[in-house]
């Protein structure tokens, strides 16, 4: 595709369940970021992948959050034992190089009941 | 770690008034990027500045990168309702000790009233 895609677009889950969010970056982009955005708030950095380097996980809020990027392309963000405070929009972005412009996906709106 | 703050956090203006948002980084930046996020949308890249003191214009929008490469501003002349949204600056630090990823500012939410 031409842009960054994310799935699902909406996810409603019950507290305590695990969820997986998927991001398909633009082909050839080496950098991939995950952000979390609560309503009316800024972008909270979660994790960053750059090529084959070890990911920067410094933004993950707890050990319930993890992410992987397979083959330098698709990325999955996993949240285990979801809590209500995990409810937010999760945005993925990719860029050609580390410092170049980021292209954002449409986001996944997660609601934890 | 690197921190990027923006002021103001919110701004309400009447259509036709000017608007400015300021971006300040705790570390020197290798470049500064600006993004716009419309309500309900995702951030969209507007522009990148690289050189110290650089000024770029896009129609009614004027972007500046500070001489010390630690601050930037976005000025909108004669705002329109289409300017509504949140404006974010973002920049990577020049020193690897500050991390090597792009860090987003806290954002300025602009509302334009008729």
């Amino acid at each position: 595709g031409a842009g960054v895609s994310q799935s699902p677009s909406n996810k409603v889950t019950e507290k305590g369940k695990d969820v997986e969010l998927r991001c398909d970056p633009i082909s050839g982009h080496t950098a991939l970021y995950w952000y979390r955005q609560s309503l009316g708030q800024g972008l909270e950095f979660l994790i960053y992948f750059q090529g084959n380097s070890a990911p920067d996980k410094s933004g993950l809020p707890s050990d319930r959050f993890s992410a992987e990027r397979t083959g330098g392309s698709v990325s999955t963000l996993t949240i285990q034992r979801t809590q209500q405070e995990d409810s937010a929009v999760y945005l993925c972005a990719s860029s050609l190089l580390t410092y170049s412009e980021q292209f954002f996906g449409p986001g996944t709106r997660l609601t934890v009941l | 770690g690197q921190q990027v703050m923006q002021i103001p956090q919110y701004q309400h203006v009447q259509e036709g008034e000017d608007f400015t948002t300021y971006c300040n980084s705790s570390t020197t930046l290798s470049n500064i990027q600006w993004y716009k996020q419309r309500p309900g949308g995702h951030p969209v890249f507007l522009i990148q500045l690289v050189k110290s003191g650089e000024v770029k214009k896009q129609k009614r929008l004027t972007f500046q990168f500070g001489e010390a490469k630690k601050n930037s501003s976005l000025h909108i002349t004669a705002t329109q309702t289409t300017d509504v949204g949140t404006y974010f600056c973002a920049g990577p630090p020049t020193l690897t000790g500050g991390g090597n990823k792009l860090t987003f500012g806290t954002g300025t939410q602009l509302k334009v009233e008729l």
Side-chain angles (χ1 to χ4, degrees):
Chain A
V4 178
S5 60
Q6 293 185 244
S7 60
S9 55
N10 282 283
K11 177 70 176 179
V12 180
T13 190
E14 294 179 346
K15 178 181 174 181
K17 300 283 189 181
D18 297 352
V19 295
E20 282 190 354
L21 312 180
R22 176 187 169 105
C23 172
D24 284 85
I26 294 173
S27 177
H29 279 195
T30 63
L32 187 149
Y33 294 76
W34 282 98
Y35 299 93
R36 179 168 71 175
Q37 188 173 40
S38 300
L39 187 63
Q41 301 300 308
L43 298 169
E44 178 187 3
F45 165 76
L46 296 178
I47 188 168
Y48 159 60
F49 297 89
Q50 172 56 52
N52 296 320
S53 302
D56 179 344
K57 304 179 181 180
S58 60
L60 294 178
S62 77
D63 59 8
R64 297 187 295 105
F65 288 73
S66 63
E68 61 177 21
R69 187 179 185 189
T70 54
S73 181
V74 172
S75 178
T76 303
L77 177 69
T78 302
I79 309 173
Q80 296 179 310
R81 305 181 302 282
T82 52
Q83 304 294 313
Q84 289 184 333
E85 60 262 29
D86 299 334
S87 296
V89 175
Y90 289 80
L91 290 161
C92 172
S94 71
S95 61
L96 183 62
L97 301 171
T98 300
Y99 292 171
S100 51
E101 67 177 279
Q102 293 192 7
F103 294 83
F104 282 80
T108 294
R109 182 176 298 279
L110 175 66
T111 303
V112 182
L113 302 176
Chain B
Q2 180 193 19
Q3 292 186 337
V4 183
M5 304 297 292
Q6 286 181 249
I7 54 172
Q9 186 175 2
Y10 303 99
Q11 184 79 60
H12 289 206
V13 299
Q14 296 288 322
E15 188 177 41
E17 292 181 338
D18 292 355
F19 159 77
T20 304
T21 172
Y22 299 92
C23 171
N24 296 286
S25 171
S26 58
T27 60
T28 305
L29 302 169
S30 62
N31 68 63
I32 190 78
Q33 300 172 18
W34 285 92
Y35 293 76
K36 177 183 179 181
Q37 184 177 23
R38 295 180 183 272
H42 57 271
V44 175
F45 174 82
L46 293 176
I47 204 164
Q48 176 174 288
L49 295 89
V50 179
K51 299 177 182 177
S52 170
E54 187 172 10
V55 177
K56 286 188 176 180
K57 292 189 175 184
Q58 286 181 349
K59 297 182 180 179
R60 294 176 296 102
L61 278 61
T62 301
F63 304 84
Q64 283 190 307
F65 199 10
E67 294 291 340
K69 300 185 77 173
K70 293 184 71 174
N71 56 70
S72 180
S73 65
L74 159 59
H75 179 81
I76 302 178
T77 302
T79 54
Q80 300 176 358
T81 54
T82 53
D83 296 325
V84 166
T86 301
Y87 293 85
F88 293 98
C89 63
T94 52
L95 300 176
T96 55
N100 62 352
K101 64 180 183 294
L102 201 67
T103 299
F104 275 81
T106 48
T108 294
Q109 186 176 336
L110 173 64
K111 292 190 176 181
V112 180
E113 300 172 354
L114 293 173

